Amino acid sequence: MLAPVCDIARIAGRAILEIYGREIVVQHKQDASPVTEADARAEALILEALGALLPGVPVVAEESVSQGRIPAVGDSFWLVDPLDGTKEFINRNGEFTVNIALVRQGVPVLGVVLAPALGRLFAGMAGAGATLEDAAGCRSIRVREPGADGLVVVGSRSHGDAAAMDAFLGGTRVAALRGAGSSLKFCLVAAAEADLYPRLGRTMEWDTAAGHAVLLAAGGRVLTREGQALRYGKAGFENPHFVAAGFDWQFSS
């Protein structure tokens, strides 16, 4: 199952890069978030391919939901963000991704995160581990234990709240704080390039499920402020605040 989903992400990624190479026309959805031709084209390709791969399994995709096309979901469904990090796409910093995840009984069991402009493809599946494919080839990835000098913490490049992050990390030994766009933040933790990703703002399930699946397959976890595993298929598909960690993170009381 993982290999064909990687292929689907690559097809969408090539379509996105075609548009990335020319003038980008930006429109805005009802919630004022930006959307481009690349979002729509990539989503259409992904929806068609997933429908052929697993007929009858519902697909919850960001642009379709924004237009009111919201399927009923059951024990199994797909979550798709065809272009996560549209602001990064518009700003041409390369840190945007194609996100495809399969959810079963509330848990993301398969995820693919492709950063087409960076040439990095992260993939993970429950029971099979996680991998990173880039210019150096394809290799297994695994989370790490934090170093003695402190945590490497990654936060949102376009949606960060510095004051909230500082308050959250108060008393935590931090070696470095870095920014990254899109679902790459989950993947940096999964690939042992970072230790902690606190998200203290609004996200939707299609923003997080693919990266969450990769991180789970790499040995990490994603917890809500109540210390519970982040689940999927919630009413409205909106996530609470959460922390993605590569080690046994515990919230302070």
Side-chain angles (χ1 to χ4, degrees), residues 139-220:
R139 58 194 178 276
S140 296
I141 55 174
R142 185 80 183 170
V143 298
R144 67 185 182 189
E145 286 295 321
D149 54 345
L151 304 179
V152 175
V153 180
V154 63
S156 176
R157 188 177 299 284
S158 297
H159 303 280
D161 184 332
M165 181 72 85
D166 287 345
F168 178 83
L169 294 173
T172 301
R173 188 180 182 88
V174 177
L177 181 61
R178 59 183 293 193
S182 67
S183 58
L184 284 170
K185 296 178 284 293
F186 290 98
C187 298
L188 294 177
V189 178
E193 297 176 30
D195 303 302
L196 195 71
Y197 162 37
R199 183 59 187 232
L200 309 174
R202 184 174 186 262
T203 59
M204 305 302 290
E205 292 187 1
W206 46 78
D207 297 318
T208 62
H212 187 170
V214 172
L215 180 56
L216 286 178

Side-chain angles (χ1 to χ4, degrees), residues 16 26 34 65 77 85 90 96 99 151 155 166 186 195 198-199 210 217 228 245 250:
I16 289 170
V26 182
V65 170
F77 64 98
I90 294 166
F96 53 88
N99 297 346
L151 304 179
D166 287 345
F186 290 98
D195 303 302
R199 183 59 187 232
Q228 303 298 313
Q250 298 291 330

Side-chain angles (χ1 to χ4, degrees), residues 38-55:
D39 297 80
R41 183 182 296 184
E43 182 164 303
L45 290 168
I46 294 168
L47 291 178
E48 180 179 6
L50 291 180
L53 182 63
L54 283 182

